[in-house]
Amino acid sequence: MITDDTLEPRYAMIVDDLAYQYDGVFSRESIEAAVAAARQDLEPSARITEFLPVLTQRFAEEQLRAAAQAEGRLAKGVPELLFVCVHNAGRSQMAAALAESLSGGRVHVRTAGSDPADQINPQVIEVLAERGIELTEAYPKPLTDNVVRAADVIITMGCGDACPVYPGKRYEDWTVADPAGASLEQVRSIREDLQARVSNLLRELGI
């Protein structure tokens, strides 16, 4: 049985690892705050408590990297794309996976949800696997100010006004069907729609 007593040393190790990784960029106190915030954001929807530290570390690292980029402490090597939908379990995950695959690493992609689910839609995983794209490390995560500030292009899909607007960013709202409750054939159609949109976006960015 996993208890808080057995989990706490794992969170301490996360802080140690990130403090080393971001030495000279953020103070240890900032790292501790980021890890605590990530844990607090993810814990309510955690289906298996044992996996929470791993996801917390990934989410905290993503937030720290985004904050460092937004504040000019860390250079951007490639354009930063952010895909946002309501649950971060379908459309945004598909779009991000397709963008990473089609760009060949020439963009960095993040995803978020205004009301994240507790898992990715299994049919989304299936239709991407049909294209040789494996969602092995993706997970639904909440929308934060850091990832918006770090992004160069923000794509929203059905999340209304949840995404804050900052000057100098490129915003697009895509009208894409929601795969939740859809048949497998319908989810495949959504995949094709997103692939066309992502391909066009990458061409416009010169990628």
Side-chain angles (χ1 to χ4, degrees), residues 67-89:
Q69 290 175 330
E71 295 166 13
R73 303 186 190 195
L74 191 65
K76 296 180 184 180
V78 294
E80 296 282 340
L81 309 185
L82 173 63
F83 293 96
V84 185
C85 66
V86 178
H87 299 307
N88 193 214

Side-chain angles (χ1 to χ4, degrees), residues 165-187:
V165 177
Y166 288 97
K169 310 289 184 184
R170 175 176 171 176
Y171 289 84
E172 293 190 15
D173 185 58
W174 290 355
T175 303
V176 178
D178 190 345
S183 68
L184 190 59
E185 277 304 313
Q186 288 171 325
V187 179

Side-chain angles (χ1 to χ4, degrees), residues 78 97-107 202 207:
V78 294
L98 289 164
E100 287 181 341
S101 177
L102 293 169
S103 71
R106 288 171 290 174
V107 296
L202 294 176
I207 294 168

Side-chain angles (χ1 to χ4, degrees), residues 46-81:
R47 304 181 75 227
I48 304 176
T49 306
E50 186 176 1
F51 296 155
L52 183 59
V54 174
L55 297 182
T56 295
Q57 181 163 9
R58 291 178 189 168
F59 189 46
E61 196 282 329
E62 183 174 289
Q63 295 303 305
L64 289 165
R65 177 176 175 178
Q69 290 175 330
E71 295 166 13
R73 303 186 190 195
L74 191 65
K76 296 180 184 180
V78 294
E80 296 282 340
L81 309 185

Side-chain angles (χ1 to χ4, degrees), residues 56-165:
T56 295
Q57 181 163 9
R58 291 178 189 168
F59 189 46
E61 196 282 329
E62 183 174 289
Q63 295 303 305
L64 289 165
R65 177 176 175 178
Q69 290 175 330
E71 295 166 13
R73 303 186 190 195
L74 191 65
K76 296 180 184 180
V78 294
E80 296 282 340
L81 309 185
L82 173 63
F83 293 96
V84 185
C85 66
V86 178
H87 299 307
N88 193 214
R91 291 167 289 185
S92 56
Q93 295 285 357
M94 270 202 285
L98 289 164
E100 287 181 341
S101 177
L102 293 169
S103 71
R106 288 171 290 174
V107 296
H108 183 258
V109 182
R110 294 186 176 98
T111 68
S114 55
D115 182 21
D118 61 356
Q119 65 176 334
I120 295 176
N121 185 324
Q123 290 186 319
V124 166
I125 296 173
E126 183 175 348
V127 301
L128 286 173
E130 291 173 354
R131 291 293 178 85
I133 300 172
E134 302 294 334
L135 286 185
T136 55
E137 297 187 358
Y139 61 98
K141 60 189 78 68
L143 178 65
T144 66
D145 191 63
N146 283 334
V147 295
V148 178
R149 290 190 300 130
D152 299 303
V153 182
I154 298 106
I155 308 296
T156 58
M157 290 170 274
C159 52
D161 298 326
C163 191
V165 177

